[in-house]
Amino acid sequence: MRKLFIAGNWKMNKTMASAKEFANVLKSNMMHDEVELAVIAPYTQLEILVSALYNRPVMVGAQNVFQETSGAYTGEISIEMLKEIDVDCCVIGHSERRQYFNETDEIVNKKLKLLLENDIRPIMCVGENLEVRKAGNAISHVKSQLEKGLMDINSDDVMNTTIAYEPIWAIGTGETASPEQAEEICSEIRNFLSEKYGEMVAEEVIIQYGGSVKPENAEEILRKPNIDGALIGGASLDVDMFMDIYDKAYFTKKH
Ligand code: PGA
């Protein structure tokens, strides 16, 4: 059965010193075997987190990886470099990367393959903007992102991929999708996976919701049958809030 998976995406925040402090508080918290936990940090903080959280059931993740393996790509980080640090997971296709850095579905697909080949768990983000939602095209938009993003990915690999549904209009805006809106798209994502890979495979894939998740709304969202966790931006910067959401996930555990 799927576990719940709570991941905090720090985006371009914190320093090495504050990351270490965060990890130390995290370590003093009680961990629940049934709920997976990850901190997704800027590159410069990864090594510190990996060593601070060594032997703890907390994953450390990167926010991006470059789609080519080496070469003249000034400013980019390769899969080998991430492997060297020993990160557990990596976000790809975040809407901010799609928006500001022109990350296309084709690029996301390349990154996904690299991560899977190298046993780093991918968290692949999909989601529509407000215009697309208002036009009634949210589902078809997300399905098209999945179709292209998961091109040539086999069943075993898709089972190791986490999908994060993040409606762009709900990211960092304080406006959360209602639990029903979130569940609707997450269940469509599972239907899509079921059609493409079969129901057994689709049932194994972790689907997160992301977009203004906070302690106040986490339970309602996580209670939905097709939502298996959350990708949390703003509220993950505060260790108490982050752990509060993690604990709430444990108590709303569906299985
Ligand atoms: P938010 O960000 O929780 O601050 O809305 C979510 C995300 O971008 O992953």
Side-chain angles (χ1 to χ4, degrees):
M1 269 317 247
R2 305 188 294 273
K3 283 189 172 180
L4 285 174
F5 180 18
I6 301 294
N9 171 15
W10 288 351
K11 308 192 178 181
M12 198 176 71
N13 291 293
K14 296 201 186 286
T15 59
M16 289 194 274
S18 57
K20 196 170 180 180
E21 241 172 73
F22 189 103
N24 286 336
V25 180
L26 209 68
K27 281 199 286 195
S28 62
N29 267 270
M30 207 174 87
M31 293 294 154
H32 313 291
D33 283 348
E34 299 82 351
V35 186
E36 294 184 296
L37 186 66
V39 278
I40 317 281
Y43 292 130
T44 54
Q45 298 160 28
L46 292 176
E47 208 180 341
I48 282 197
L49 287 169
V50 168
S51 78
L53 296 167
Y54 181 71
N55 253 342
R56 302 282 168 157
V58 183
M59 288 182 268
V60 176
Q63 298 175 5
N64 185 29
V65 62
F66 196 60
Q67 64 269 26
E68 303 299 335
T69 49
S70 67
Y73 302 104
T74 303
E76 294 298 333
I77 295 287
S78 74
I79 189 81
E80 192 187 353
M81 297 170 194
L82 286 188
K83 258 198 101 78
E84 203 175 22
I85 302 181
D86 218 11
V87 297
D88 305 287
C89 51
C90 180
V91 167
I92 50 173
H94 191 280
S95 62
E96 285 147 20
R97 298 230 40 108
R98 292 179 189 261
Q99 183 181 349
Y100 304 128
F101 305 97
N102 303 321
E103 197 161 310
T104 61
D105 293 316
E106 290 68 28
I107 293 175
V108 173
N109 180 250
K110 281 189 179 177
K111 294 182 177 192
L112 179 59
K113 287 176 181 160
L114 273 182
L115 290 169
L116 290 165
E117 278 162 19
N118 286 279
D119 294 323
I120 297 178
R121 179 166 164 182
I123 302 176
M124 179 178 135
C125 303
V126 294
E128 80 288 356
N129 64 23
L130 194 55
E131 205 184 324
V132 171
R133 172 154 288 261
K134 281 192 171 154
N137 296 328
I139 293 170
S140 59
H141 179 82
V142 167
K143 285 192 173 171
S144 147
Q145 286 179 318
L146 289 172
E147 188 72 65
K148 294 179 196 150
L150 294 174
M151 186 81 76
D152 300 325
I153 301 297
N154 66 33
S155 308
D156 286 341
D157 282 343
V158 84
M159 285 195 277
N160 292 323
T161 303
T162 294
I163 311 279
Y165 167 57
E166 299 208 307
I168 298 170
W169 47 273
I171 295 179
T173 55
E175 189 174 339
T176 325
S178 70
E180 292 68 33
Q181 282 173 320
E183 168 65 14
E184 183 195 11
I185 306 281
C186 290
S187 81
E188 286 292 346
I189 292 174
R190 207 173 301 285
N191 287 342
F192 171 91
L193 295 172
S194 183
E195 274 163 32
K196 191 170 157 93
Y197 297 102
E199 199 185 332
M200 259 166 60
V201 171
E203 284 301 318
E204 293 294 321
V205 179
I206 293 179
I207 303 175
Q208 295 176 320
Y209 166 77
S212 299
V213 175
K214 27 187 189 285
E216 301 81 64
N217 58 24
E219 277 166 290
E220 248 196 315
I221 293 168
L222 294 171
R223 216 173 279 132
K224 292 291 178 194
N226 284 293
I227 302 178
D228 310 314
L231 184 56
I232 306 156
S236 75
L237 294 172
D238 180 297
V239 69
D240 294 329
M241 270 206 233
F242 187 48
M243 291 317 287
D244 194 2
I245 297 173
Y246 173 68
D247 290 338
K248 289 196 157 90
Y250 173 71
F251 290 113
T252 56
K253 183 166 58 79
K254 293 173 278 234
H255 339 290

